[in-house]
Amino acid sequence: TKGDNVSPTSFYGLADILSQKMFRLVLNDPKISSRFLGFCRAQFCGENMDFLIEVQHSEELLADAIDSLSNIQQKYLSAESPLELGLPSGIRKDFMTKIENCKRLTLPALTDDITKSKAYIETLLLTNSYPMFVKHQMTKNVREALAKSKNEYHGLGDCFCITDPTQEDNPIVLASDGFVHVTGYTRSDIIARNCRFLQGKDTNRENTQRLKFSIGSEQESIELLLNYKKNGQPFWNLVLVASLFDETGRLVFFFGAQVDCSDAIHTWADLLQILSASGSEKERSFKLGKELASSNVGVDKTTRSAWMWSRFRAGAGFFGSHRNKQINIDLKAVGQQERLVSEMQWKKFDAQVKIFYTSYSKVPLLPLS
């Protein structure tokens, strides 16, 4: 049932968050569908949800019309009707025929067209806007967890990896202790492999293709992926990828931060609460990637990367000691969240977005001595 406790694995088995079944639950929940409508309008695709709302109303009106016509037919026009209307037999017969044609032909044909159109728009929303909405709600929930529920998610603040695009297949060259803990893989399992090894049979290929495109174009990106731990357990992974450049503007590394969102979803109620969470009007129209990108309009990639490197060096969350030929990393103890809470507490929304964007990517990257 809706409130039964289930593990993240069994929850995934009951209902894939991005499945058509879950999407229909969202459409049928007044509060969540209202949130989804607001999100779609903010993304300039609200006409699809508006269409579904109008269609739903039309279906209800058509059902009422069929019931009403059937009632008129049985109560007033049929030969068995006890009521005497005084209608001429020709008019009554013609009326009866048209009602029958309407019930058997016109209305069913119209209903069929409505059903086909509705199914097409629902599929369009399911494959485009709905995954963006889920990612948006998950991201907002993670951001809020930074300020009030730091233990809600595994990996929040300490799960990351660094990859080297100068090597073939962009392999991982460093993995934090949090990355090891969340995925269940040892460092020897992880190093020198591409991050795609976390994907599995049910990982959404459209999401991975978007991520691949962002990496190929050296753009920052956030995606919600279904990944798999070493023991085969699926988990929803909120992934942030950022490009790191040296002082000459040359791409040297990709930084990937991960948050295990499945930790916060143990019941149907948990998921519905995340999807129905509201915020300010500005937050409802929040477009994370575009807004972050717009903050760097007019700034060249070297300047932007220098800003990111400075943020990494300024971080207080350190996770162990590892060294390879690319970078020298001095890692200490986990524990940056309290500083983040203090830093975010009285900031405006835009400032909080920037803090969230780099909150779990704070690692001191120092040049080799």
Side-chain angles (χ1 to χ4, degrees):
T1 60
K2 177 179 176 180
D4 291 341
N5 286 321
V6 292
S7 69
T9 303
S10 59
F11 184 89
Y12 166 74
L14 287 173
D16 180 352
I17 296 174
L18 299 179
S19 70
Q20 187 174 39
K21 177 180 179 181
M22 191 64 228
F23 180 57
R24 288 196 174 276
L25 288 177
V26 167
L27 293 180
N28 291 328
D29 185 291
K31 186 175 182 180
I32 302 178
S33 62
S34 176
R35 297 278 179 262
F36 185 42
L37 174 61
F39 175 82
C40 289
R41 286 175 174 170
Q43 298 293 322
F44 307 106
C45 58
E47 65 277 0
N48 290 324
M49 273 297 290
D50 288 328
F51 173 79
L52 288 185
I53 292 171
E54 292 289 345
V55 162
Q56 178 67 30
H57 182 56
S58 297
E59 287 179 323
E60 294 170 357
L61 291 177
L62 285 175
D64 289 343
I66 291 174
D67 289 342
S68 180
L69 289 173
S70 296
N71 184 58
I72 291 172
Q73 187 179 28
Q74 295 171 7
K75 191 174 181 180
Y76 300 103
L77 303 177
S78 70
E80 294 78 18
S81 172
L83 301 176
E84 292 289 340
L85 286 181
L87 282 174
S89 60
I91 294 178
R92 177 185 293 203
K93 183 178 179 181
D94 187 48
F95 196 179
M96 285 276 288
T97 300
K98 289 180 179 178
I99 288 179
E100 282 297 321
N101 288 338
C102 188
K103 288 169 56 180
R104 290 190 303 105
L105 301 174
T106 307
L107 291 180
L110 182 58
T111 301
D112 185 57
D113 288 339
I114 289 176
T115 301
K116 290 178 181 177
S117 300
K118 181 180 175 182
Y120 182 86
I121 295 299
E122 284 185 354
T123 300
L124 195 63
L125 287 168
L126 175 63
T127 56
N128 292 282
S129 300
Y130 177 61
M132 292 172 59
F133 171 68
V134 172
K135 182 172 67 176
H136 165 77
Q137 293 296 98
M138 288 283 196
T139 303
K140 181 157 63 69
N141 204 55
V142 170
R143 186 175 66 249
E144 291 171 352
L146 285 171
K148 63 181 181 181
S149 306
K150 63 183 182 182
N151 296 321
E152 185 174 356
Y153 294 99
H154 280 168
L156 185 58
D158 68 344
C159 181
F160 66 90
C161 68
I162 293 176
T163 68
D164 184 356
T166 67
Q167 298 187 42
E168 185 179 356
D169 204 27
N170 191 23
I172 298 172
V173 294
L174 181 136
S176 71
D177 291 343
F179 189 95
V180 171
H181 175 69
V182 167
T183 64
Y185 287 92
T186 65
R187 235 174 225 100
S188 59
D189 294 328
I190 297 168
I191 300 300
R193 299 178 72 178
N194 185 281
C195 293
R196 75 174 71 90
F197 79 93
L198 294 175
Q199 298 174 21
K201 63 183 181 67
D202 291 318
T203 302
N204 189 300
R205 302 307 166 191
E206 291 184 3
N207 292 14
T208 59
Q209 286 300 311
R210 281 199 303 269
L211 194 59
K212 182 178 179 180
F213 175 81
S214 297
I215 291 172
S217 56
E218 302 177 2
Q219 297 176 352
E220 293 87 356
S221 178
I222 291 179
E223 287 294 340
L224 183 65
L225 303 176
L226 182 69
N227 283 161
Y228 291 81
K229 301 185 180 185
K230 186 173 183 178
N231 63 6
Q233 177 182 344
F235 71 102
W236 287 102
N237 191 6
L238 188 66
V239 180
L240 178 149
V241 176
S243 308
L244 300 180
F245 303 90
D246 64 16
E247 64 276 5
T248 67
R250 181 177 64 91
L251 176 67
V252 288
F253 297 112
F254 282 108
F255 185 94
Q258 297 85 25
V259 178
D260 181 0
C261 293
S262 298
D263 271 359
I265 305 174
H266 302 287
T267 66
W268 287 96
D270 291 337
L271 177 58
L272 295 176
Q273 182 177 3
I274 289 174
L275 295 183
S276 65
S278 62
S280 66
E281 187 62 32
K282 186 171 185 178
E283 190 169 355
R284 283 197 293 272
S285 63
F286 178 48
K287 304 173 194 174
L288 185 59
K290 292 182 180 179
E291 188 162 323
L292 290 169
S294 68
S295 67
N296 289 316
V297 171
V299 178
D300 62 81
K301 65 181 182 180
T302 304
T303 304
R304 181 173 68 248
S305 190
W307 175 81
M308 293 177 67
W309 281 95
S310 69
R311 297 298 290 173
F312 296 152
R313 291 191 181 99
F318 312 128
F319 314 100
S321 278
H322 304 284
R323 182 187 179 99
N324 59 42
K325 64 179 182 179
Q326 286 79 21
I327 48 179
N328 180 22
I329 301 185
D330 182 24
L331 304 173
K332 300 180 182 177
V334 177
Q336 66 172 317
Q337 287 90 342
E338 294 206 7
R339 180 186 60 76
L340 285 169
V341 171
S342 175
E343 187 177 350
M344 291 177 66
Q345 188 172 9
W346 305 112
K347 299 289 186 182
K348 292 184 178 180
F349 178 76
D350 288 340
Q352 288 187 4
V353 170
K354 279 193 174 182
I355 292 170
F356 165 73
Y357 181 62
T358 57
S359 61
Y360 44 88
S361 58
K362 305 258 197 313
V363 55
L365 302 179
L366 308 176
L368 284 171
S369 55

